[in-house]
Amino acid sequence: MDLFDQQEKDVRPLADRMRPETLDAFVGQPHLLGKDSLLRRAIEEDRLFSVIFWGPPGSGKTTLARIIARETKSHFEAFSAVLSGVKEIRSVIEEAKSQLRYHQKKTILFVDEIHRFNKAQQDAFLHHVESGLITLIGATTENPSFEVIAPLLSRVRVMVLKPFSDEELSAILKRALSEGGKGLGAFSPNIEADALEHIIWTADGDARTALNNLAAAASLVQANGKITREVVEEALQKKALQYDKSGEEHYNLISAFHKSLRGSDPDAALYWLGRMLEAGEDPLYVARRMVRFASEDVGNADPDALSITVSAMQAFQFIGLPEGELALAQATVYLATAPKSNAIYEGYGNVKQAIGKTGTLPAPLHIRNAPTKLMKSLGYGRDYKYAHDFPDAYTPQDYLPEKLKGQIYYRPTNRGYEKIVKERLEKWRKLRETKKDS
């Protein structure tokens, strides 16, 4: 007996067979379906509103729409925005009227890929959403504010679905392995822990991908057989790179990445970036480390490095995998080839060390705020020199506490833009010295 014999009566993909049919069976999205949440209460109390589910592939948008229709005992109509036009919408509207007139059933219209509907198609059911004849549930992987017309968007709620966590995917896969009728339970495969982890990592939060990959791996072993990591690699045609997101290899790779950036080697930096992303590292973890690097190791030698790296992180958050990898790669090359300075890192470290030694020293009186007469009478703000009243908007003046007067914490290098900063500071510091001597 093999997997195909076991599934002879039901040829649907495992991901389709394993769709949960009730809210209680649905795994994930606790921010939308938790106890007393807006959506859950609306479903349970049959007060459903029109909604657009915005989330990545395999996050449960279609499944949730079907569950809602079943839980509310509504008539369910589903079609794809890619394949359907105004004619099909009119047909749905007529059926919705018939269901309400003859069966007293509300109609839920599920529109997959609603961002692909053009303005005429969206206008075609706008009035019927407003009148309540149909309850619209749209699904999209794209930001609806860019693709859905404003009149329709104002009549629906947008709810964001998140990728499934590793723990949630693990629960979904284990259910598929144990369940007999729809799952692989009758086939009784055994799966090794690292094989399960690899399926989860390659799925990247996509439950559909995870289940279909599990089915592909199971098809390579006999009944009661063992699914190993090697079997999964063969099924997916993708080798599991040695990586443990919480173990030594995690720190080895991020260290290699950081040091390659610091060493101004864009080729090595790109390689280690690829190694981490291909192995399943959280891209936003890598992006956060890059933002830190932009201040710690580039600093004011190239002030644009921080902006470019933050923009790359935001670009990744906006478009996700796999397209977002290029934004991270672009920032990686920029950081690796930028002039380097750790003067900000050293300077701020020196400041923290000084604060630890000297405690909470008072601010000099002349730079304190003086909003009341009493504070002014005590000398707050007295003799303060407003910089903009002087040439080049600079005049020598002490700003540090008395005990730390003359201390220097930030020492810019001669590299990149910081060379200009250094020349400027040297000029100002000479003016201070001249003032002291006069």
Side-chain angles (χ1 to χ4, degrees):
M1 177 183 179
D2 61 23
L3 176 65
F4 297 108
D5 294 328
Q6 187 260 327
Q7 294 178 352
E8 192 173 55
K9 294 181 180 178
D10 195 341
V11 296
R12 291 177 300 156
L14 179 64
D16 196 41
R17 300 200 309 274
M18 290 305 301
R19 288 186 190 275
E21 297 182 353
T22 65
L23 283 177
D24 290 335
F26 190 94
V27 174
Q29 314 303 337
H31 62 295
L32 296 182
L33 300 174
K35 185 180 179 183
D36 293 329
S37 66
L38 175 66
L39 182 58
R40 190 175 192 107
R41 288 181 62 181
I43 295 168
E44 292 175 344
E45 297 172 12
D46 198 13
R47 294 186 293 103
L48 189 64
F49 43 81
S50 290
V51 62
I52 292 178
F53 291 138
W54 174 24
S59 56
K61 299 183 292 293
T62 302
T63 298
L64 191 52
R66 292 183 179 278
I67 289 174
I68 290 171
R70 188 176 290 109
E71 296 268 345
T72 58
K73 297 181 173 58
S74 300
H75 173 64
F76 186 77
E77 289 277 355
F79 61 86
S80 170
V82 178
L83 303 175
S84 305
V86 174
K87 180 181 177 182
E88 286 79 10
I89 294 173
R90 288 173 181 159
S91 176
V92 168
I93 298 304
E94 290 305 313
E95 179 61 25
K97 292 176 180 177
S98 176
Q99 288 289 331
L100 188 61
R101 183 182 301 118
Y102 299 114
H103 306 287
Q104 291 74 53
K105 270 193 172 187
K106 300 175 184 176
T107 293
I108 287 179
L109 173 61
F110 175 68
V111 181
D112 196 16
E113 297 188 275
I114 194 169
H115 60 277
R116 292 182 180 268
F117 260 177
N118 60 38
K119 184 178 184 299
Q121 291 169 316
Q122 294 182 43
D123 280 336
F125 58 74
L126 177 60
H127 167 71
H128 304 291
V129 171
E130 189 173 26
S131 70
L133 175 64
I134 61 172
T135 299
L136 172 68
I137 299 181
T140 179
T141 57
E142 305 290 336
N143 188 329
S145 62
F146 297 146
E147 306 294 343
V148 179
I149 61 174
L152 179 59
L153 201 59
S154 68
R155 290 163 174 79
V156 303
R157 293 179 184 269
V158 176
M159 294 193 164
V160 180
L161 279 72
K162 300 176 181 178
F164 289 100
S165 68
D166 289 356
E167 293 74 18
E168 290 164 350
L169 285 181
S170 178
I172 290 168
L173 293 175
K174 287 177 180 177
R175 179 190 291 174
L177 285 164
S178 62
E179 195 164 307
K182 298 182 296 183
L184 303 175
F187 183 55
S188 301
N190 298 306
I191 188 166
E192 293 182 348
D194 59 346
L196 184 66
E197 287 178 4
H198 184 45
I199 291 174
I200 291 170
W201 284 350
T202 55
D204 193 34
D206 184 330
R208 184 187 305 109
T209 296
L211 286 165
N212 288 338
N213 288 349
L214 174 63
S219 69
L220 297 180
V221 299
Q222 296 296 315
N224 303 306
K226 181 173 289 187
I227 301 174
T228 63
R229 192 182 73 179
E230 290 71 25
V231 168
V232 174
E233 290 172 359
E234 183 181 351
L236 307 186
Q237 295 295 298
K238 185 174 183 180
K239 185 174 179 60
L241 299 176
Q242 182 183 0
Y243 197 67
D244 177 357
K245 287 193 280 186
S246 59
E248 180 184 351
E249 195 66 7
H250 163 82
Y251 296 104
N252 288 342
L253 265 61
I254 195 65
S255 176
F257 177 63
H258 197 123
K259 289 180 173 66
S260 298
L261 290 174
R262 183 182 292 148
S264 300
D265 188 334
D267 302 297
L270 280 175
Y271 172 79
W272 294 117
L273 173 70
R275 275 285 303 274
M276 287 187 288
L277 297 183
E278 288 296 306
E281 180 58 83
D282 178 5
L284 290 177
Y285 166 76
V286 180
R288 288 192 294 271
R289 290 299 298 261
M290 291 167 68
V291 170
R292 164 77 181 197
F293 181 92
S295 292
E296 179 179 341
D297 286 279
V298 177
N300 284 338
D302 186 346
D304 288 336
L306 183 59
S307 298
I308 286 171
T309 310
V310 171
S311 293
M313 182 173 69
Q314 292 173 335
F316 180 85
Q317 290 175 312
F318 182 63
I319 60 178
L321 288 168
E323 294 90 344
E325 291 175 336
L326 284 181
L328 299 182
Q330 180 181 348
T332 293
V333 171
Y334 191 95
L335 292 175
T337 56
K340 305 297 189 295
S341 170
N342 70 342
I344 297 291
Y345 175 76
E346 292 286 342
Y348 190 62
N350 293 335
V351 164
K352 291 201 292 185
Q353 189 175 24
I355 292 170
K357 289 180 179 179
T358 59
T360 54
L361 297 175
L365 284 174
H366 68 282
I367 61 170
R368 294 189 194 183
N369 190 31
T372 68
K373 288 183 179 180
L374 173 62
M375 297 168 87
K376 288 178 182 177
S377 69
L378 294 173
Y380 282 38
R382 184 182 300 158
D383 299 326
Y384 169 66
K385 298 172 184 176
Y386 185 57
H388 294 285
D389 289 339
F390 297 86
D392 298 324
Y394 179 79
T395 183
Q397 189 169 207
D398 291 318
Y399 296 93
L400 281 169
E402 181 69 25
K403 191 174 181 179
L404 298 176
K405 190 180 295 184
Q407 289 292 322
I408 296 176
Y409 300 111
Y410 174 52
R411 300 179 184 275
T413 68
N414 285 314
R415 295 184 289 276
Y417 177 75
E418 211 163 41
K419 182 178 180 181
I420 299 173
V421 174
K422 182 178 182 181
E423 292 171 354
R424 192 180 296 151
L425 282 176
E426 286 175 347
K427 176 183 174 183
W428 290 340
R429 285 167 181 164
K430 283 180 182 177
L431 287 173
R432 283 189 202 167
E433 293 301 318
T434 302
K435 178 194 172 187
K436 286 181 184 178
D437 296 337
S438 59

